[in-house]
C-alpha cells in the first residue's frame, strides 16, 4: 500500500496500583527482590494511534528482546517496573517474573516504537518518565488515599489534571468481591520521546470505571495514618 512511515502517533504511559492486583481473584505475586515500594509502578509504554487503535507485536530479526542490552538498568526496573502476576495458580506464594513482563512489554509494544527508541532507550526513557511524576503523592495531596474507601472518578481526574497539568486516563478492574477499583492511570507522551514530554491525550483510553471506585489498600502505610 501507499502508507507513509507513520509508525504511531503518541505513547500511553501506563502505571498500575499494586494493591489493585493483589486484591483480585487471581491475587498477586512479588518478584524475588521483594514487595514493591508503596507507590504506583509501571505497566508499560504503549505506542498508539490518534484514532484509538494501536500497533502491536512489531517484532523483527533486529529488535528481538535481548536481556543483555538492559543489564545496566535492571536495578531501576526492579524498583519501578516489577511484575505482580503470579507465574502459576499458586497465588501469593511463588515469585513473579520481572523479565517475563519486560520481554512481553518490549515484544508487544516497544517493538512498535523501535524507530524512535531502541530496546535500551525504551526502558531507560520509560523509567525516566516515572521519576517525573509521583502519582500517589498527587492523589494524597487531594485527600485520595489507598485506604479501601470509595472515591469519585471525577475527583481523581481533577487531581491528576491539577498535579500533572494533563488529563489522565483511568482504568479499573474488579476485586475478589466484584467491586470496581482504580487499577491504572494513563498519561500521554509525545512520540518524539523527548524528556518530560507529557502531552494532552489525543484520545483517552477506553473508560471502564463507574462513577465511584475503590482505592484499595496495599499493605499498611504510615502515609495513611498521618494523612
Ligand atoms: P485490557 O484488556 O486490560 O484493556 O488490555 C489488555 C492489553 O491490551 C493491555 O495490557 C495492552 O497491552 C493492550 N491495550 C489495551 N488497550 C490499549 C490501548 O488503548 N492502547 C494500546 N497501545 N494498548 C492497549
Ligand atoms: P499487556 O499485554 O496488557 O500489556 O500486559 C499484560 C500481560 O503481562 C499479561 O499477560 C500479564 O499476565 C503480564 N503481566 C506480568 N506482570 C504484570 C503486572 O504486574 N501487571 C500487569 N498488568 N500485567 C502483568
Amino acid at each position: 500500500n501507499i502508507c507513509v512511515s507513520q509508525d504511531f502517533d503518541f505513547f500511553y504511559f501506563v502505571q498500575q496500583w499494586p494493591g489493585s492486583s493483589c486484591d483480585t481473584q487471581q491475587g498477586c505475586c512479588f518478584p524475588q527482590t521483594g514487595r514493591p515500594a508503596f507507590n504506583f509502578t509501571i505497566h508499560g509504554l504503549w505506542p498508539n494511534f490518534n484514532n484509538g487503535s494501536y500497533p502491536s507485536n512489531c517484532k523483527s530479526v533486529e529488535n528481538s528482546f535481548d536481556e543483555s542490552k538492559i543489564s545496566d538498568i535492571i536495578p531501576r526496573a526492579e524498583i519501578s517496573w516489577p511484575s505482580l502476576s503470579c507465574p502459576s495458580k499458586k497465588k501469593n506464594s511463588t515469585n513473579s517474573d520481572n523479565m517475563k513482563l519486560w520481554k512481553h512489554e518490549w515484544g508487544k509494544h516497544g517493538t512498535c516504537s523501535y524507530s524512535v527508541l531502541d530496546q535500551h532507550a525504551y526502558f531507560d526513557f520509560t523509567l525516566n518518565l516515572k521519576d517525573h511524576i509521583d502519582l500517589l503523592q498527587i492523589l494524597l495531596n487531594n485527600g485520595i488515599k489507598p485506604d479501601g474507601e470509595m472515591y469519585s472518578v471525577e475527583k481523581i481526574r481533577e487531581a491528576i489534571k491539577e498535579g500533572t497539568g494533563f488529563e489522565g486516563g483511568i482504568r479499573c478492574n474488579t476485586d475478589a468481591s466484584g467491586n470496581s477499583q482504580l487499577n491504572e492511570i494513563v498519561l500521554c507522551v509525545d512520540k518524539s520521546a523527548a524528556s518530560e514530554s507529557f502531552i494532552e491525550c489525543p484520545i483517552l483510553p477506553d473508560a471502564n470505571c463507574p462513577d465511584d471506585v475503590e482505592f484499595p489498600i496495599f499493605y499498611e502505610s504510615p502515609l495513611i495514618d498521618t494523612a
Side-chain angles (χ1 to χ4, degrees):
N1 60 35
I2 49 156
C3 106
V4 210
S5 62
Q6 178 80 340
D7 302 321
F8 65 103
D9 296 320
F10 68 95
F11 292 104
Y12 282 137
F13 173 54
V14 185
Q15 292 183 252
Q16 60 185 4
W17 176 247
S20 300
S21 295
C22 294
D23 72 353
T24 56
Q25 192 106 56
Q26 304 94 282
C28 69
C29 289
F30 298 144
Q32 212 152 16
T33 42
R35 160 154 58 104
F38 187 80
N39 208 326
F40 285 79
T41 61
I42 298 169
H43 178 168
L45 184 71
W46 305 345
N48 221 83
F49 295 117
N50 286 339
N51 69 5
S53 70
Y54 59 91
S56 65
N57 293 307
C58 311
K59 292 172 185 165
S60 71
V61 184
E62 87 252 42
N63 70 27
S64 63
F65 184 75
D66 180 351
E67 201 176 319
S68 72
K69 285 182 177 155
I70 53 168
S71 49
D72 62 319
I73 47 180
I74 283 176
R76 289 169 65 211
E78 282 175 342
I79 291 169
S80 302
W81 202 337
S83 170
L84 300 171
S85 290
C86 298
S88 68
K89 274 132 232 141
K90 296 179 73 187
K91 67 175 178 183
N92 306 331
S93 55
T94 36
N95 286 323
S96 63
D97 184 343
N98 285 339
M99 198 58 71
K100 200 173 156 201
L101 171 63
W102 302 335
K103 183 179 180 184
H104 169 85
E105 291 299 313
W106 170 254
K108 182 171 182 179
H109 300 286
T111 54
C112 299
S113 52
Y114 186 62
S115 60
V116 182
L117 297 168
D118 66 18
Q119 191 195 309
H120 185 273
Y122 175 80
F123 286 93
D124 187 48
F125 178 66
T126 307
L127 289 163
N128 288 342
L129 288 175
K130 169 98 171 73
D131 293 338
H132 285 296
I133 287 186
D134 187 339
L135 283 181
L136 180 60
Q137 193 58 55
I138 286 171
L139 296 180
L140 290 174
N141 289 346
N142 289 270
I144 300 164
K145 299 175 280 192
D147 55 5
E149 298 296 318
M150 304 292 287
Y151 292 92
S152 129
V153 168
E154 199 47 47
K155 289 270 157 55
I156 297 172
R157 261 183 227 301
E158 283 166 15
I160 295 168
K161 173 94 194 175
E162 190 195 293
T164 68
F166 301 100
E167 205 86 47
I170 298 173
R171 286 162 52 93
C172 289
N173 67 349
T174 53
D175 70 13
S177 3
N179 304 311
S180 287
Q181 56 183 2
L182 172 62
N183 182 38
E184 298 185 319
I185 293 180
V186 182
L187 294 167
C188 289
V189 174
D190 190 87
K191 73 171 284 185
S192 70
S195 62
E196 286 183 75
S197 48
F198 289 99
I199 57 168
E200 212 54 79
C201 286
I203 182 170
L204 286 170
D206 283 345
N208 66 340
C209 302
D211 291 347
D212 296 290
V213 295
E214 183 189 348
F215 191 5
I217 290 168
F218 181 52
Y219 288 79
E220 315 84 312
S221 166
L223 286 170
I224 294 174
D225 301 330
T226 57

